[in-house]
Amino acid sequence: TVTSVSGGTPLPLQNTSSNVRWGPEEALANPSLFQQADFRIVEPNYFDVMRTRIIEGRTFTAADNAPNLKHAIIDDVFARKAFPGQKAVGKRFLARTGGPDPTWYEVIGVVQHQRNVSPAFDSRETMYLTDGEVGFGAVNQWVIRTTGDLDRIAQAARSVVRQLDPSLIVVDLQPMTVLIDRAMGPTRFAMVCIGVFAVIAGILAAVGLYGVLATAVRQRTAEIGVRMAFGATPTNVFGLVVKQGLALSAIGIVVGLASAFALTRAMRTMVVGVGTTDPTTYIAMSVVFLVIAAFACWIPARRAALLDPLEALREE
């Protein structure tokens, strides 16, 4: 079932951008005040279909889809830059959309910023004009919000277009998830590589900790023998070795957490929906490495607990 339809060019995450120069009134006297922004041409109902939150004012209606009205919708990033600390609706700004001379546009609404390049980081401020304002036919892509089987919806959409004009061909009909997957491809590849390196690092840490404790047990064979001769139980010896290993691991985890906090800025463009200082992630990874350390401690600790005190003293 099709619940709503609209159009927009370009669509978010298409790796296509249209740019426009905009500026405040002072830019008429000082052209250096003009700035670059993303530019989108949309049909009425576009923001409803895309589920874009309205922050202030209203969105386009059919009455706005006409030439020479000079109505614009901007996102909240644009509003903060153009009208800091003020209500944006009713204000005007200059934009070069149809030639070298700037045109005045009145803000009728402010919407939530859309990430037009990648879900992982914000793009530039964005302004929206209607298809009628730019020139009917400027919008060449349609967005359809549906429920149900996508293949059946796609066939129905092609059929409707064919009935309207047999010469038209529907191309590149795909769900929005395809655009998201495509935009996140490089980031996902980098995250997979980081994950593989993290697993290798965990294995190397476990092997290194095992080697350190095994060497320590071998060097302290006589000490362990003396402890057991004076009444230390295998459980006491086992706990002694495990405690030493976990203490080393705890120091390593603290150093690792400090380094992770220091490197969070480099990771901000690679995570979506999770903060770079997300406490759940840090706690989970700390627990994982403690478990790895416990397994690495287990073999040397068990070997120490099974030592025969007489043989240990004799070897020494």
Side-chain angles (χ1 to χ4, degrees):
T1 302
V2 174
T3 58
S4 53
V5 179
S6 187
T9 299
L11 296 177
L13 305 181
Q14 278 194 315
N15 200 24
T16 302
S17 63
S18 295
N19 304 319
V20 66
R21 300 283 291 175
W22 72 273
E25 183 177 359
E26 293 78 11
L28 288 174
N30 183 5
S32 65
L33 296 178
F34 277 98
Q35 305 175 52
Q36 195 91 330
D38 284 345
F39 176 51
R40 297 289 189 267
I41 309 169
V42 300
E43 293 280 351
N45 201 42
Y46 171 82
F47 299 104
D48 293 332
V49 176
M50 299 299 288
R51 296 291 193 269
T52 305
R53 185 168 65 90
I54 304 170
I55 298 175
E56 184 185 343
R58 62 178 179 86
T59 58
F60 294 126
T61 64
D64 296 306
N65 196 24
N68 301 320
L69 288 182
K70 307 307 177 189
H71 288 171
I73 291 175
I74 60 177
D75 66 11
D76 52 338
V77 177
F78 196 121
R80 286 194 296 270
K81 285 188 174 182
F83 314 107
Q86 307 174 55
K87 294 287 186 180
V89 172
K91 299 290 197 308
R92 297 195 307 164
F93 65 92
L94 292 162
R96 290 193 175 102
T97 57
D101 296 326
T103 302
W104 285 105
Y105 286 95
E106 179 185 349
V107 178
I108 65 170
V110 178
V111 296
Q112 187 177 27
H113 177 72
Q114 291 182 348
R115 295 183 172 185
N116 295 319
V117 179
S118 169
F121 55 87
D122 289 331
S123 52
R124 285 183 302 214
E125 63 269 26
T126 306
M127 68 171 289
Y128 301 86
L129 297 180
T130 63
D131 183 55
E133 175 65 42
V134 177
F136 289 109
V139 169
N140 56 18
Q141 294 171 303
W142 296 92
V143 286
I144 305 172
R145 182 164 290 276
T146 69
T147 58
D149 184 67
L150 292 179
D151 291 334
R152 293 181 60 186
I153 297 296
Q155 294 174 7
R158 287 191 172 95
S159 177
V160 170
V161 172
R162 194 178 303 114
Q163 292 174 15
L164 293 173
D165 189 342
S167 65
L168 294 178
I169 300 175
V170 178
V171 297
D172 206 20
L173 186 59
Q174 57 192 359
M176 193 68 189
T177 52
V178 172
L179 297 181
I180 296 174
D181 291 340
R182 191 179 299 160
M184 288 299 295
T187 300
R188 284 176 175 165
F189 176 75
M191 294 302 289
V192 169
C193 291
I194 291 174
V196 170
F197 292 142
V199 171
I200 295 174
I203 294 173
L204 291 177
V207 172
L209 184 60
Y210 165 78
V212 169
L213 292 178
T215 302
V217 168
R218 189 164 52 251
Q219 292 176 343
R220 298 175 64 184
T221 299
E223 176 192 339
I224 293 172
V226 171
R227 287 176 180 270
M228 298 182 76
F230 279 93
T233 64
T235 302
N236 297 140
V237 174
F238 184 89
L240 176 68
V241 177
V242 170
K243 182 179 178 181
Q244 180 184 1
L246 292 181
L248 291 174
S249 302
I251 295 173
I253 288 172
V254 170
V255 173
L257 289 175
S259 301
F261 275 112
L263 295 173
T264 51
R265 290 186 178 181
M267 296 292 293
R268 283 179 181 169
T269 59
M270 304 182 71
V271 293
V272 180
V274 179
T276 51
T277 56
D278 180 59
T280 303
T281 302
Y282 284 100
I283 293 172
M285 294 311 300
S286 298
V287 171
V288 167
F289 274 96
L290 280 176
V291 171
I292 292 174
F295 276 108
C297 297
W298 182 77
I299 295 177
R302 184 172 179 273
R303 184 178 300 165
L306 295 177
L307 279 175
D308 185 335
L310 295 179
E311 290 185 5
L313 293 172
R314 192 179 299 115
E315 288 181 6
E316 184 63 20

